[in-house]
Amino acid sequence: MIRKNQFFFAIVLLIIVFLIFGILSIFSEGSLYGGDSYTHYLFARFAFAHPQNFLDHWAKPLFTLLASPFSFFGFHGMMLFNILISAFATYFALAVSAKLKYQNLSLIVLFCAFSPIFILLMFSGLTEAVFALLLVAAVYFFVDKKYYVAAILISFIPFIRSEGLIFIVWFFVLFLLKQKFKAIPLLFFGIFFYTILGGFILGDFFWLIHNNPYSALGSVYGSGSIIFYIQNIPSTFGVITFLLAVVGVIVIFVSLFRKNPDIENKELQFNELFLILFSALGYFLFHSIVWWKGWMSVLGDARFMAAIVPLISILALKGFNVIVYPIKNKIILMSVSSLVGILMLVSSLKIHQLPVKLQGGDKVVKEAVLWIAENGYSKSKIVYYNPIVPCILDKDPYAKVLIQERVNDNNQPEKDLPKNTIIIWDGHFSPYEGQLSLDSLKANPNFIVLKEFFPNSPFKIYGDINYQVALFLRK
């Protein structure tokens, strides 16, 4: 009865917290994470006009499919989508904790919702929230002994993020250990489904291999420290959640030395150790090694750890319950829980300011885009590099009629561009991703500089050049 009441109050708290996030998203001007966030949104936003977007390997087919109805209502719709997905991921983390008979269930909501990286996801168009949902939902159904459902969910996880393949391998091992052999073929259901679908639509039954953007062993992003993700723990899980999770991990290992555990405790040990801890740890180590070795063209990015936030939260709740176990007074216990939640919220809001205001390069780009409309160039074709441009204009970049991404030829940027075309050159995406220098455009006699824009507080991109935005008009 006590646990049912705890579950009910946790659900109420979940609804309140994520409703507040939904309201904050309405008043937000943009994303907490630019670049990929806006690009994923554009793929989903115009997927119905360009059905090939639903099978784009980089955009992630399942994510595009799920996000497309929401993105139809603009980037605010995309943020609402990720807020709802994060809420469901939190719910399944709560449900797993209830199945494991943990106490103080409301804290799961705080551990998930107030983790800095989950807040970033909710105010973005990134894929990791859906990844986290599929993973923790599969964990829940595995704990609930609905192995077929767990297998089917995991089978689709590579179509949210490519590294999801490691979980197909890991659940293969888990099903072997559990001797649930009939569930193993279902681990390949998602791959089979998209292989057949892509084969008929794209005319290539090996499109998952041929179109894989991460097939190269090397990386255009280079490599980094093997402790990169450890160093970024404060901006991912939050210090409090991580330290409590460490306590939870220690308790799990200590419990392994319990003499003659009964069947229920053996089941609990398996779920805690193999299903939750090793899943989270394996994912963490995988990304650490890939970034250290510079494999698969994957940039070291703290946002990837969002995928295991629900699992880390479950471990943190385990640790918290051990620490507060001697506390029998309900008022004191509630006070301690509230203090933990407040500290997590304050530390997260120091990292992310809500509602989101456009800052840095995105703010300068928007200023330039608005200048174009205000100065009689609204009918000109636009060539852009920063993906926020078509988001601001709500124009379809895949049609390439009124707007297109990048020039057709960097050596001859004027090639195939009609007169009065405007190139929006920005100091981030244009010289790095687009390999188009500012000096080359200024020296090109086919273009004139319309106007240059600078941030109020100068800053450098990658420590190289001062950021600016320049508008060029094709003569």
Side-chain angles (χ1 to χ4, degrees), residues 110-112 114-118 230 232-246 305 309 312-313 316 343-345 347-348 351:
L110 305 182
F111 291 146
C112 285
F114 295 158
S115 65
I117 207 64
F118 244 41
I230 295 176
N232 281 278
I233 282 172
S235 62
T236 51
F237 312 117
V239 175
I240 295 174
T241 301
F242 179 76
L243 292 178
L244 290 173
V246 171
M305 292 302 108
V309 162
I312 296 296
S313 298
L343 290 174
M344 291 174 58
L345 176 61
S347 61
S348 294
I351 299 174

Side-chain angles (χ1 to χ4, degrees), residues 131-167:
F131 191 101
L133 171 58
L134 280 187
L135 177 58
V136 72
V139 167
Y140 168 78
F141 285 110
F142 194 103
V143 171
D144 199 35
K145 299 182 180 181
K146 294 182 173 62
Y147 301 109
Y148 296 159
V149 178
I152 291 174
L153 286 174
I154 284 296
S155 76
F156 281 100
I157 207 168
F159 302 98
I160 300 298
R161 287 200 58 84
S162 297
E163 64 267 33
L165 285 169
I166 67 174
F167 284 112

